Amino acid sequence: MPSVARAGGAAAGVDDPLVGVVLDGRYRIESRLARGGMSTVFTGTDLRLDRSVALKVMDAQLAGDPQFAGRFAREARAAARLSHVNVVAVHDQGEDAGHAFLVMELVRGRTLRDLIREHGRVSPELAIAITEPVLAALAAAHRAHLVHRDIKPENVLLGDDGVVKVADFGLARALADLSSTAENSAVMGTAAYVAPEQITRGATTPRTDVYSTGIVLFEMVTGRAPFAGGSSVSTAYRHVHEDVPAPSARVAGLPRALDALVVRATRRDPAARPADAAEFLARLHDARHAAGLRRVPVPPRLPVRDRTPDPALTAAADEQRTRVHRGLAATAIVTTTTPADGAPAVAPANGATTLAPRGRVAAGPRPARRGGAHPLESTAEAAQAWPERQRRHRRRFLLGVAVILVLALAACVGGWWLGDGRFTTVPKLTDLTTSEALAAARHGDLKLTVASTRTHSETVPAGYVARTDPRPGERAHRGATVTAVVSAGPERYRLPAGLVGDRAAAVRVALGGYPLRVEVATTYDEHVARGVVTAVDPRGGTVVRRGEVVIVHVSAGPTPFEMLDVTGQDLPTAQASVLRSGMRVAVQRSASDTVPPGMVISTQPAAASVVHRGAHAVLTVSTGPAPVAVPDVRTMTIPEAESMLEAQGFTVQVHQLWGWGGTVSSQTPAAGEIALHGTPVQITTL
């Protein structure tokens, strides 16, 4: 199929039999722009709205196929519902005298094919600038569940105003339901851009358009398609069985990010490509940023070889216009009368002054005679006045009808304007550049202002409209102002470095100024003191998004364990056991009446208490019984002295001088001396 018409190129010829034909009583065919295997594209005029349009007239064999005619009408209606600044608008569709036709927006400019044919490869910046609106158009189609199926340079139009548009939405699908011959012709006609799954399974998804767009991007930066040359069959075979090479394999020095994106978009496996045009567009923005390429606009008017109109075409158009004007010319009614002298007089129907023959004066109406008129004269005058009265009555009647029609039309227009006419629906301006949004707003009879502040967005690239007020789909007065808020791109923050080793409280303060969720995780660490940060996840210097969770790992000190029970052990053994557990040991001594000297009486912390490595353990070691003062038992009887001394822990030795009982006269050790428990005390009696 030829591309949708773009004005400005040389005409394909002026001898087409359809030139001058008016389709459906409304669309006059002016000149032929291009002819393809299945359709012909003409420039035309919408006589009802007095505007230039592009007319795509399908081949007579296709129009005669009922299956195609039904599919063509359905797909044309689906394409007409797709409204986007980068999509060639479909105005109407119909059939007249065996001619199935499509009425579309007439784009002044040329195709991407013209640009590549005349200039070869273009710079990566310009290639990306052209691909972006193509993907924006496809993204809108994919959101509406439409797949183009035939993306190629011929269907990418470069307008003289710098706007890039995609043409022929829906026609590829209509052609796909024809007979096998027509189907093969449709597929093989664009074999250089067809996806492998279209050839092997006839399957088409948004990833199919992604593949074809990747091939077009490859051709722009290298000057030719990857599998160009040879027959359509051999080209299609290579798409199925060969991988598309990286563009840098053809042209050295291309950015690696652009290389990788083209390779990904043209993978033979559809699942390995971007899911749809919206994802492809996002990846294209990333690739341009990674490659450090500047954003450039598409030149408003690209140079072409020859824009001089074909003289034959101009002559044919002039002749057609002449025929139309002749057909519209009014026909005057001429009345011939014979004056008295026999010379003829001409009476134009428009009421102009009648011209008499040269040298004569035209006779006017005679004044009435006083006293009456001659009967024959009155009859003649009445006969002459009758046509004039008829014309006056007719003019008055027509004037009255015209006044009534004007008033009725004014009432209808006023009612429409007060009801719905003064309102319009806010179009979808998001995901567009400000210039694209401005054009779309103007198209919708609205004004656009850009807010001074920007907003962060995870889905809308920087520099594109993120939201509008009023929102898309809302009603607004014609001429109202829509405020567009431009995206600043994703909201990202870089974590500070050097947080590891600081106290947890200090790290919390450092992260407190970021819109993040900070969570603390404590872990035991044998080598890091309690409360010190051991790690941050993500680590310092990482770029994170708003609300992302940052985990701060804080040491809880060494791993705890239970205190050993070393009571009753001798000091060397107990001390060695505690040291092996990782604790430090301190020794203190205490007298004990029950624990032998040198044995551990108790520990601090007590046995089975939770302790940490490096903590202090105090071992209390027995020094045996505590020394006490020897009581004074002199003057006591032997039984009394023995009872008191034994009560104090002493042993008693009795020495009787004379061999019979009596009172204690002396003692050793002496009363008041300090002695250990168990020390023998000798008492002497007289």
Side-chain angles (χ1 to χ4, degrees), residues 214-250:
I215 298 294
V216 172
L217 180 55
F218 181 103
E219 184 173 3
M220 279 194 286
V221 297
T222 64
R224 59 191 180 96
F227 301 138
S231 66
S232 296
V233 174
S234 64
T235 300
Y237 180 88
R238 296 185 67 185
H239 279 287
V240 174
H241 297 284
E242 296 182 27
D243 291 326
V244 174
S248 59
R250 299 274 182 88

mmCIF file of all heavy atoms in Angstrom, residues 214-250:
data_model
loop_
_atom_site.group_PDB
_atom_site.id
_atom_site.type_symbol
_atom_site.label_atom_id
_atom_site.label_comp_id
_atom_site.label_asym_id
_atom_site.label_seq_id
_atom_site.Cartn_x
_atom_site.Cartn_y
_atom_site.Cartn_z
ATOM 1 N N GLY A 214 11.977 -1.081 15.681
ATOM 2 C CA GLY A 214 13.412 -1.293 15.862
ATOM 3 C C GLY A 214 14.138 -1.393 14.539
ATOM 4 O O GLY A 214 15.260 -0.877 14.372
ATOM 5 N N ILE A 215 13.526 -2.052 13.529
ATOM 6 C CA ILE A 215 14.139 -2.144 12.196
ATOM 7 C C ILE A 215 14.236 -0.758 11.565
ATOM 8 O O ILE A 215 15.246 -0.396 10.952
ATOM 9 C CB ILE A 215 13.325 -3.093 11.305
ATOM 10 C CG1 ILE A 215 13.326 -4.513 11.892
ATOM 11 C CG2 ILE A 215 13.890 -3.117 9.891
ATOM 12 C CD1 ILE A 215 14.656 -5.193 11.919
ATOM 13 N N VAL A 216 13.171 0.062 11.712
ATOM 14 C CA VAL A 216 13.196 1.419 11.151
ATOM 15 C C VAL A 216 14.291 2.246 11.815
ATOM 16 O O VAL A 216 15.016 3.000 11.149
ATOM 17 C CB VAL A 216 11.812 2.082 11.329
ATOM 18 C CG1 VAL A 216 11.877 3.558 10.929
ATOM 19 C CG2 VAL A 216 10.767 1.357 10.491
ATOM 20 N N LEU A 217 14.449 2.118 13.148
ATOM 21 C CA LEU A 217 15.512 2.840 13.851
ATOM 22 C C LEU A 217 16.880 2.373 13.359
ATOM 23 O O LEU A 217 17.794 3.191 13.167
ATOM 24 C CB LEU A 217 15.374 2.617 15.360
ATOM 25 C CG LEU A 217 16.403 3.295 16.264
ATOM 26 C CD1 LEU A 217 16.462 4.794 16.012
ATOM 27 C CD2 LEU A 217 16.089 3.015 17.730
ATOM 28 N N PHE A 218 17.041 1.065 13.136
ATOM 29 C CA PHE A 218 18.292 0.528 12.580
ATOM 30 C C PHE A 218 18.579 1.178 11.229
ATOM 31 O O PHE A 218 19.714 1.595 10.943
ATOM 32 C CB PHE A 218 18.157 -0.993 12.429
ATOM 33 C CG PHE A 218 19.390 -1.686 11.891
ATOM 34 C CD1 PHE A 218 20.232 -2.385 12.734
ATOM 35 C CD2 PHE A 218 19.712 -1.649 10.533
ATOM 36 C CE1 PHE A 218 21.364 -3.019 12.253
ATOM 37 C CE2 PHE A 218 20.831 -2.280 10.037
ATOM 38 C CZ PHE A 218 21.665 -2.973 10.897
ATOM 39 N N GLU A 219 17.562 1.275 10.377
ATOM 40 C CA GLU A 219 17.764 1.826 9.039
ATOM 41 C C GLU A 219 18.123 3.305 9.091
ATOM 42 O O GLU A 219 18.945 3.780 8.294
ATOM 43 C CB GLU A 219 16.505 1.612 8.203
ATOM 44 C CG GLU A 219 16.651 2.071 6.764
ATOM 45 C CD GLU A 219 15.459 1.702 5.904
ATOM 46 O OE1 GLU A 219 14.486 1.139 6.436
ATOM 47 O OE2 GLU A 219 15.512 1.969 4.687
ATOM 48 N N MET A 220 17.532 4.043 10.032
ATOM 49 C CA MET A 220 17.842 5.473 10.102
ATOM 50 C C MET A 220 19.305 5.723 10.459
ATOM 51 O O MET A 220 19.951 6.595 9.890
ATOM 52 C CB MET A 220 16.918 6.146 11.119
ATOM 53 C CG MET A 220 15.538 6.471 10.576
ATOM 54 S SD MET A 220 14.626 7.605 11.652
ATOM 55 C CE MET A 220 14.178 6.531 12.994
ATOM 56 N N VAL A 221 19.859 4.961 11.415
ATOM 57 C CA VAL A 221 21.228 5.235 11.870
ATOM 58 C C VAL A 221 22.280 4.563 10.996
ATOM 59 O O VAL A 221 23.463 4.871 11.117
ATOM 60 C CB VAL A 221 21.417 4.804 13.334
ATOM 61 C CG1 VAL A 221 20.504 5.599 14.251
ATOM 62 C CG2 VAL A 221 21.177 3.314 13.518
ATOM 63 N N THR A 222 21.853 3.623 10.113
ATOM 64 C CA THR A 222 22.836 2.955 9.248
ATOM 65 C C THR A 222 22.640 3.273 7.782
ATOM 66 O O THR A 222 23.549 3.065 6.979
ATOM 67 C CB THR A 222 22.773 1.428 9.426
ATOM 68 O OG1 THR A 222 21.490 0.951 9.001
ATOM 69 C CG2 THR A 222 23.007 1.040 10.876
ATOM 70 N N GLY A 223 21.451 3.743 7.399
ATOM 71 C CA GLY A 223 21.206 4.072 6.005
ATOM 72 C C GLY A 223 20.468 2.997 5.243
ATOM 73 O O GLY A 223 19.980 3.255 4.140
ATOM 74 N N ARG A 224 20.373 1.774 5.770
ATOM 75 C CA ARG A 224 19.618 0.725 5.087
ATOM 76 C C ARG A 224 19.172 -0.311 6.106
ATOM 77 O O ARG A 224 19.762 -0.458 7.174
ATOM 78 C CB ARG A 224 20.435 0.068 3.970
ATOM 79 C CG ARG A 224 21.722 -0.583 4.413
ATOM 80 C CD ARG A 224 22.577 -0.967 3.210
ATOM 81 N NE ARG A 224 23.834 -1.604 3.599
ATOM 82 C CZ ARG A 224 24.012 -2.922 3.651
ATOM 83 N NH1 ARG A 224 23.012 -3.722 3.334
ATOM 84 N NH2 ARG A 224 25.175 -3.432 4.000
ATOM 85 N N ALA A 225 18.109 -1.035 5.755
ATOM 86 C CA ALA A 225 17.554 -2.044 6.652
ATOM 87 C C ALA A 225 18.537 -3.204 6.806
ATOM 88 O O ALA A 225 19.368 -3.456 5.930
ATOM 89 C CB ALA A 225 16.216 -2.558 6.110
ATOM 90 N N PRO A 226 18.463 -3.960 7.909
ATOM 91 C CA PRO A 226 19.458 -5.008 8.156
ATOM 92 C C PRO A 226 19.433 -6.131 7.129
ATOM 93 O O PRO A 226 20.472 -6.701 6.793
ATOM 94 C CB PRO A 226 19.085 -5.530 9.554
ATOM 95 C CG PRO A 226 17.665 -5.120 9.752
ATOM 96 C CD PRO A 226 17.503 -3.840 9.019
ATOM 97 N N PHE A 227 18.254 -6.464 6.593
ATOM 98 C CA PHE A 227 18.152 -7.564 5.643
ATOM 99 C C PHE A 227 17.666 -7.054 4.293
ATOM 100 O O PHE A 227 16.889 -7.701 3.600
ATOM 101 C CB PHE A 227 17.188 -8.639 6.165
ATOM 102 C CG PHE A 227 17.607 -9.217 7.489
ATOM 103 C CD1 PHE A 227 16.671 -9.454 8.483
ATOM 104 C CD2 PHE A 227 18.939 -9.510 7.752
ATOM 105 C CE1 PHE A 227 17.044 -9.977 9.706
ATOM 106 C CE2 PHE A 227 19.323 -10.027 8.978
ATOM 107 C CZ PHE A 227 18.381 -10.260 9.946
ATOM 108 N N ALA A 228 18.082 -5.868 3.905
ATOM 109 C CA ALA A 228 17.668 -5.287 2.637
ATOM 110 C C ALA A 228 18.342 -6.037 1.500
ATOM 111 O O ALA A 228 19.425 -6.604 1.637
ATOM 112 C CB ALA A 228 18.024 -3.805 2.588
ATOM 113 N N GLY A 229 17.678 -6.003 0.331
ATOM 114 C CA GLY A 229 18.248 -6.663 -0.843
ATOM 115 C C GLY A 229 17.689 -8.052 -1.008
ATOM 116 O O GLY A 229 17.241 -8.696 -0.075
ATOM 117 N N GLY A 230 17.711 -8.562 -2.231
ATOM 118 C CA GLY A 230 17.190 -9.885 -2.479
ATOM 119 C C GLY A 230 15.677 -9.855 -2.617
ATOM 120 O O GLY A 230 15.025 -8.808 -2.581
ATOM 121 N N SER A 231 15.089 -11.042 -2.774
ATOM 122 C CA SER A 231 13.646 -11.139 -2.933
ATOM 123 C C SER A 231 12.957 -10.998 -1.589
ATOM 124 O O SER A 231 13.571 -11.112 -0.523
ATOM 125 C CB SER A 231 13.284 -12.488 -3.560
ATOM 126 O OG SER A 231 13.606 -13.540 -2.666
ATOM 127 N N SER A 232 11.611 -10.780 -1.672
ATOM 128 C CA SER A 232 10.835 -10.675 -0.439
ATOM 129 C C SER A 232 10.887 -11.968 0.353
ATOM 130 O O SER A 232 10.950 -11.966 1.582
ATOM 131 C CB SER A 232 9.386 -10.320 -0.765
ATOM 132 O OG SER A 232 9.314 -9.046 -1.359
ATOM 133 N N VAL A 233 10.876 -13.087 -0.359
ATOM 134 C CA VAL A 233 10.901 -14.377 0.320
ATOM 135 C C VAL A 233 12.214 -14.568 1.066
ATOM 136 O O VAL A 233 12.249 -14.987 2.226
ATOM 137 C CB VAL A 233 10.665 -15.517 -0.685
ATOM 138 C CG1 VAL A 233 10.828 -16.875 -0.011
ATOM 139 C CG2 VAL A 233 9.283 -15.396 -1.311
ATOM 140 N N SER A 234 13.327 -14.242 0.414
ATOM 141 C CA SER A 234 14.620 -14.417 1.075
ATOM 142 C C SER A 234 14.774 -13.460 2.249
ATOM 143 O O SER A 234 15.349 -13.807 3.287
ATOM 144 C CB SER A 234 15.751 -14.207 0.071
ATOM 145 O OG SER A 234 15.754 -12.867 -0.405
ATOM 146 N N THR A 235 14.240 -12.232 2.107
ATOM 147 C CA THR A 235 14.303 -11.277 3.216
ATOM 148 C C THR A 235 13.496 -11.775 4.404
ATOM 149 O O THR A 235 13.950 -11.731 5.557
ATOM 150 C CB THR A 235 13.782 -9.908 2.770
ATOM 151 O OG1 THR A 235 14.586 -9.435 1.680
ATOM 152 C CG2 THR A 235 13.845 -8.905 3.905
ATOM 153 N N ALA A 236 12.282 -12.276 4.136
ATOM 154 C CA ALA A 236 11.459 -12.813 5.219
ATOM 155 C C ALA A 236 12.133 -14.012 5.877
ATOM 156 O O ALA A 236 12.077 -14.184 7.096
ATOM 157 C CB ALA A 236 10.086 -13.209 4.673
ATOM 158 N N TYR A 237 12.791 -14.842 5.073
ATOM 159 C CA TYR A 237 13.495 -16.019 5.617
ATOM 160 C C TYR A 237 14.576 -15.578 6.594
ATOM 161 O O TYR A 237 14.764 -16.188 7.655
ATOM 162 C CB TYR A 237 14.099 -16.815 4.466
ATOM 163 C CG TYR A 237 14.853 -18.048 4.909
ATOM 164 C CD1 TYR A 237 14.202 -19.267 5.082
ATOM 165 C CD2 TYR A 237 16.232 -17.997 5.149
ATOM 166 C CE1 TYR A 237 14.890 -20.397 5.496
ATOM 167 C CE2 TYR A 237 16.931 -19.116 5.564
ATOM 168 C CZ TYR A 237 16.262 -20.319 5.738
ATOM 169 O OH TYR A 237 16.951 -21.420 6.146
ATOM 170 N N ARG A 238 15.280 -14.511 6.279
ATOM 171 C CA ARG A 238 16.358 -14.040 7.159
ATOM 172 C C ARG A 238 15.796 -13.487 8.465
ATOM 173 O O ARG A 238 16.413 -13.652 9.522
ATOM 174 C CB ARG A 238 17.191 -12.986 6.435
ATOM 175 C CG ARG A 238 17.918 -13.512 5.208
ATOM 176 C CD ARG A 238 18.824 -12.468 4.595
ATOM 177 N NE ARG A 238 19.929 -12.138 5.475
ATOM 178 C CZ ARG A 238 20.819 -11.173 5.225
ATOM 179 N NH1 ARG A 238 20.714 -10.447 4.115
ATOM 180 N NH2 ARG A 238 21.794 -10.929 6.077
ATOM 181 N N HIS A 239 14.631 -12.842 8.419
ATOM 182 C CA HIS A 239 14.012 -12.375 9.666
ATOM 183 C C HIS A 239 13.709 -13.543 10.598
ATOM 184 O O HIS A 239 13.834 -13.421 11.820
ATOM 185 C CB HIS A 239 12.712 -11.619 9.364
ATOM 186 C CG HIS A 239 12.910 -10.199 8.958
ATOM 187 N ND1 HIS A 239 13.278 -9.208 9.838
ATOM 188 C CD2 HIS A 239 12.804 -9.601 7.743
ATOM 189 C CE1 HIS A 239 13.375 -8.055 9.196
ATOM 190 N NE2 HIS A 239 13.097 -8.270 7.910
ATOM 191 N N VAL A 240 13.299 -14.682 10.034
ATOM 192 C CA VAL A 240 12.921 -15.835 10.848
ATOM 193 C C VAL A 240 14.141 -16.560 11.388
ATOM 194 O O VAL A 240 14.145 -17.044 12.528
ATOM 195 C CB VAL A 240 12.032 -16.794 10.026
ATOM 196 C CG1 VAL A 240 11.741 -18.077 10.809
ATOM 197 C CG2 VAL A 240 10.725 -16.109 9.642
ATOM 198 N N HIS A 241 15.244 -16.624 10.612
ATOM 199 C CA HIS A 241 16.362 -17.500 10.954
ATOM 200 C C HIS A 241 17.637 -16.761 11.344
ATOM 201 O O HIS A 241 18.625 -17.412 11.705
ATOM 202 C CB HIS A 241 16.664 -18.431 9.780
ATOM 203 C CG HIS A 241 15.529 -19.354 9.445
ATOM 204 N ND1 HIS A 241 15.227 -20.465 10.191
ATOM 205 C CD2 HIS A 241 14.584 -19.295 8.444
ATOM 206 C CE1 HIS A 241 14.174 -21.088 9.666
ATOM 207 N NE2 HIS A 241 13.746 -20.393 8.610
ATOM 208 N N GLU A 242 17.669 -15.437 11.276
ATOM 209 C CA GLU A 242 18.889 -14.704 11.619
ATOM 210 C C GLU A 242 18.565 -13.611 12.635
ATOM 211 O O GLU A 242 17.476 -13.031 12.620
ATOM 212 C CB GLU A 242 19.527 -14.067 10.377
ATOM 213 C CG GLU A 242 20.007 -15.056 9.337
ATOM 214 C CD GLU A 242 20.666 -14.352 8.159
ATOM 215 O OE1 GLU A 242 21.206 -13.238 8.367
ATOM 216 O OE2 GLU A 242 20.643 -14.901 7.053
ATOM 217 N N ASP A 243 19.549 -13.324 13.506
ATOM 218 C CA ASP A 243 19.411 -12.219 14.445
ATOM 219 C C ASP A 243 19.782 -10.915 13.759
ATOM 220 O O ASP A 243 20.715 -10.863 12.939
ATOM 221 C CB ASP A 243 20.327 -12.429 15.659
ATOM 222 C CG ASP A 243 19.866 -13.590 16.521
ATOM 223 O OD1 ASP A 243 18.638 -13.809 16.608
ATOM 224 O OD2 ASP A 243 20.731 -14.284 17.098
ATOM 225 N N VAL A 244 19.053 -9.870 14.088
ATOM 226 C CA VAL A 244 19.393 -8.541 13.563
ATOM 227 C C VAL A 244 20.699 -8.094 14.213
ATOM 228 O O VAL A 244 20.826 -8.096 15.435
ATOM 229 C CB VAL A 244 18.267 -7.534 13.867
ATOM 230 C CG1 VAL A 244 18.685 -6.132 13.453
ATOM 231 C CG2 VAL A 244 16.988 -7.949 13.155
ATOM 232 N N PRO A 245 21.713 -7.716 13.418
ATOM 233 C CA PRO A 245 22.995 -7.308 14.017
ATOM 234 C C PRO A 245 22.885 -5.954 14.704
ATOM 235 O O PRO A 245 21.925 -5.198 14.495
ATOM 236 C CB PRO A 245 23.925 -7.240 12.800
ATOM 237 C CG PRO A 245 23.014 -6.921 11.659
ATOM 238 C CD PRO A 245 21.724 -7.628 11.951
ATOM 239 N N ALA A 246 23.859 -5.649 15.529
ATOM 240 C CA ALA A 246 23.915 -4.328 16.152
ATOM 241 C C ALA A 246 24.222 -3.282 15.085
ATOM 242 O O ALA A 246 24.981 -3.541 14.154
ATOM 243 C CB ALA A 246 24.992 -4.302 17.234
ATOM 244 N N PRO A 247 23.618 -2.092 15.153
ATOM 245 C CA PRO A 247 23.888 -1.066 14.140
ATOM 246 C C PRO A 247 25.372 -0.715 14.028
ATOM 247 O O PRO A 247 25.849 -0.378 12.945
ATOM 248 C CB PRO A 247 23.061 0.129 14.626
ATOM 249 C CG PRO A 247 21.970 -0.472 15.437
ATOM 250 C CD PRO A 247 22.570 -1.667 16.091
ATOM 251 N N SER A 248 26.120 -0.812 15.147
ATOM 252 C CA SER A 248 27.540 -0.467 15.093
ATOM 253 C C SER A 248 28.339 -1.438 14.240
ATOM 254 O O SER A 248 29.479 -1.145 13.870
ATOM 255 C CB SER A 248 28.120 -0.429 16.512
ATOM 256 O OG SER A 248 27.959 -1.692 17.143
ATOM 257 N N ALA A 249 27.746 -2.613 13.921
ATOM 258 C CA ALA A 249 28.428 -3.526 13.012
ATOM 259 C C ALA A 249 28.466 -2.956 11.603
ATOM 260 O O ALA A 249 29.305 -3.346 10.788
ATOM 261 C CB ALA A 249 27.729 -4.893 13.006
ATOM 262 N N ARG A 250 27.540 -2.023 11.302
ATOM 263 C CA ARG A 250 27.510 -1.358 9.988
ATOM 264 C C ARG A 250 28.185 0.014 10.030
ATOM 265 O O ARG A 250 28.857 0.408 9.094
ATOM 266 C CB ARG A 250 26.051 -1.192 9.538
ATOM 267 C CG ARG A 250 25.299 -2.520 9.377
ATOM 268 C CD ARG A 250 25.498 -3.116 8.009
ATOM 269 N NE ARG A 250 24.740 -4.348 7.852
ATOM 270 C CZ ARG A 250 23.478 -4.397 7.427
ATOM 271 N NH1 ARG A 250 22.842 -3.278 7.144
ATOM 272 N NH2 ARG A 250 22.867 -5.554 7.293
#
